[in-house]
Amino acid sequence: MSLETRAIHAGEPSPRIGGAITLPIFQSSTFESTRESDYHAIPYLRLNNSPNHLALHAKLADLEQTEAALVTSSGMAAITTALMGVVKSGDHILAQNGLYGGTHSFITHDLPALGVSYDFVDLNDPAEWQEKVKPNTRAFYAESMTNPLLRVGDLPAVVGFCRSNNLVSMIDNTLASPINFQPANIGFDLIVHSCTKYLNGHSDIVAGAILGMDALVSKIKIKLDHFGATLDPHACFLLQRGIKTLSLRVNKQNTNAFAVADFLEKHENVSQVNYAGLSSHTDHHRAKNLFNGFGGLLSFDHVGGGEGAHAMIDRLRLVTEAVSLGGTETLVTLPAESSHAGVSKSDRETIGIGDGLVRVAVGIEGEQDLLEDFAQALDG
Ligand code: PLP
């Protein structure tokens, strides 16, 4: 069946509980014992096995075409728990350059304190992977698209490299969402999501997910049970509701983002647009081969630098300045002041994140309304 149909029907309890068309919220911390012999199977909310959790796990695994899934209390909980489930003290990981800031901080600050070392690599340079892989390398961590420049690495080559070097291949698929890309179909072992973004889609919860083969996900569930990063039942309910409209939202975000990117590229106050859907983007052909759509996130350089970008944002009427992405409403941020505030100006500029770079997380508003808002704000 199609992804649209599966997003609605997969994982729903059968028979329906009490006949409810929408799975109700099980606001119960504990459930009647069935004398389980395994601690991790005891029906208790922190052990991630309430009816709300089990339905979400089945729905997400179906969407990402994996054997198993877990939901977590945030995207960062998914990322840190998945990594901690794969590495141990003395191990080393390879990770892509330009990762999401929270992941970058965890890898560079927390993992070394736990005895895990790392090397960052260019996802377009397999020779560098070969140079940096070590006998104790355990995993290779990548993102399907990077934020805010929307670079798309050679993901099939990463999978091949991991297979030949016996590494766990891990990917954050938040920005693509399963509508645009399903990493398990090209062989990734572990997939993580910030469900805060497209999967929930309404900017009203934080949540995460870990997906992959049953054996690996079961091992990670033990860590999740210990860390206690459980998604609460109300957030489970909202996430399950959000996922049902994932396809409608992401397809609209794909078309809106393309229209905004195309408009911006022609505007005299914009010097560069980063959107993998544009033929001018360095990774356009790779993204076209790998993805069903190019997503709702883009960024552009204002010719007036930081000052020009600020003035433009102040003139926006419909679009709001806020962090995050994947919601119904269009948001803008300046990465130099948000996701990359901790990076020095010269390092930022080397990687293409200047003071005038504006990130746009496109929502599902009417395309014409968005174009008019950006036009009046850019024309000043
Ligand atoms: N991964 C990506 C690509 C993100 O953009 C974010 C948040 O912005 C995260 C992970 C972290 O997710 P959360 O804020 O749900 O912890």
Side-chain angles (χ1 to χ4, degrees):
M1 276 191 261
S2 68
L3 255 178
E4 289 96 317
T5 306
R6 281 151 46 212
I8 296 160
H9 294 287
E12 298 292 325
S14 176
R16 298 177 192 283
I17 300 170
I21 299 299
T22 298
L23 179 63
I25 305 173
F26 284 80
Q27 195 69 55
S28 183
S29 60
T30 189
F31 295 81
E32 193 172 353
S33 172
T34 47
R35 307 251 168 96
E36 298 73 19
S37 52
D38 173 12
Y39 168 78
H40 296 277
I42 292 173
Y44 178 62
L45 190 51
R46 179 175 45 78
L47 302 177
N48 305 291
N49 52 22
S50 79
N52 293 107
H53 288 84
L54 298 181
L56 261 179
H57 294 166
K59 191 183 284 295
L60 284 164
D62 190 291
L63 289 184
E64 279 287 21
Q65 296 287 286
T66 58
E67 284 177 7
L70 290 169
V71 286
T72 61
S73 59
S74 69
M76 280 309 297
I79 292 163
T80 56
T81 307
L83 275 165
M84 295 296 294
V86 167
V87 296
K88 60 180 183 332
S89 178
D91 286 346
H92 168 262
I93 64 163
L94 292 174
Q96 175 179 6
N97 281 327
L99 290 177
Y100 166 67
T103 312
H104 183 275
S105 292
F106 179 71
I107 290 174
T108 54
H109 293 107
D110 299 298
L111 284 185
L114 297 165
V116 178
S117 58
Y118 62 88
D119 272 297
F120 287 112
V121 291
D122 181 341
L123 231 53
N124 288 310
D125 186 2
E128 190 191 8
W129 315 344
Q130 198 59 59
E131 245 168 60
K132 292 189 172 162
V133 72
K134 299 177 182 188
N136 59 339
T137 308
R138 277 286 296 143
F140 194 143
Y141 188 97
E143 289 178 355
S144 46
M145 289 192 249
T146 65
N147 167 28
L149 300 175
L150 290 313
R151 296 298 311 266
V152 181
D154 193 347
L155 302 174
V158 170
V159 171
F161 181 81
C162 288
R163 290 204 172 141
S164 44
N165 289 278
N166 204 19
L167 312 180
V168 179
S169 52
M170 303 178 68
I171 187 163
D172 180 334
N173 195 34
T174 300
L175 262 51
S177 93
I179 299 299
N180 288 330
F181 181 48
Q182 293 157 13
N185 288 342
I186 66 160
F188 271 94
D189 297 319
L190 263 185
I191 302 156
V192 288
H193 275 280
S194 167
C195 302
T196 312
K197 319 296 180 189
Y198 294 101
L199 281 162
N200 178 59
H202 292 75
S203 306
D204 51 11
I205 59 166
V206 287
I210 303 167
L211 305 103
M213 281 172 303
D214 207 8
L216 205 46
V217 172
S218 303
K219 208 175 128 200
I220 293 168
K221 180 185 178 292
I222 293 173
K223 290 271 181 256
L224 182 63
D225 292 351
H226 290 165
F227 295 159
T230 302
L231 191 63
D232 83 71
H234 186 238
C236 284
F237 170 84
L238 289 174
L239 177 56
Q240 177 132 348
R241 182 166 77 163
I243 292 172
K244 291 184 184 181
T245 56
L246 180 69
S247 162
L248 284 175
R249 289 184 286 98
V250 171
N251 285 319
K252 173 70 171 153
Q253 279 157 324
N254 286 343
T255 53
N256 271 358
F258 182 81
V260 171
D262 183 53
F263 164 80
L264 292 170
E265 197 167 42
K266 294 174 186 142
H267 199 283
E268 58 183 3
N269 289 336
V270 173
S271 53
Q272 154 102 24
V273 181
N274 306 301
Y275 184 62
L278 295 176
S279 54
S280 57
H281 192 279
T282 326
D283 301 322
H284 175 65
H285 289 291
R286 177 174 293 146
K288 203 168 163 188
N289 287 335
L290 280 173
F291 300 162
N292 304 318
F294 302 103
L297 199 70
L298 61 100
S299 61
F300 68 94
D301 275 303
H302 195 286
V303 291
E307 223 173 282
H310 272 294
M312 189 276 304
I313 289 175
D314 288 342
R315 285 190 291 269
L316 287 167
R317 293 175 189 146
L318 189 62
V319 176
T320 309
E321 184 178 7
V323 296
S324 205
L325 58 116
T328 53
E329 57 292 308
T330 300
L331 303 175
V332 289
T333 51
L334 295 181
E337 293 174 7
S338 50
S339 57
H340 291 72
V343 185
S344 74
K345 188 173 162 83
S346 64
D347 283 357
R348 268 198 288 108
E349 282 169 356
T350 314
I351 54 173
I353 302 173
D355 291 345
L357 187 76
V358 182
R359 188 186 82 173
V360 188
V362 179
I364 62 169
E365 298 94 337
E367 178 183 311
Q368 203 50 40
D369 298 328
L370 289 176
L371 299 187
E372 280 169 20
D373 200 23
F374 280 107
Q376 65 79 23
L378 280 164
D379 292 342

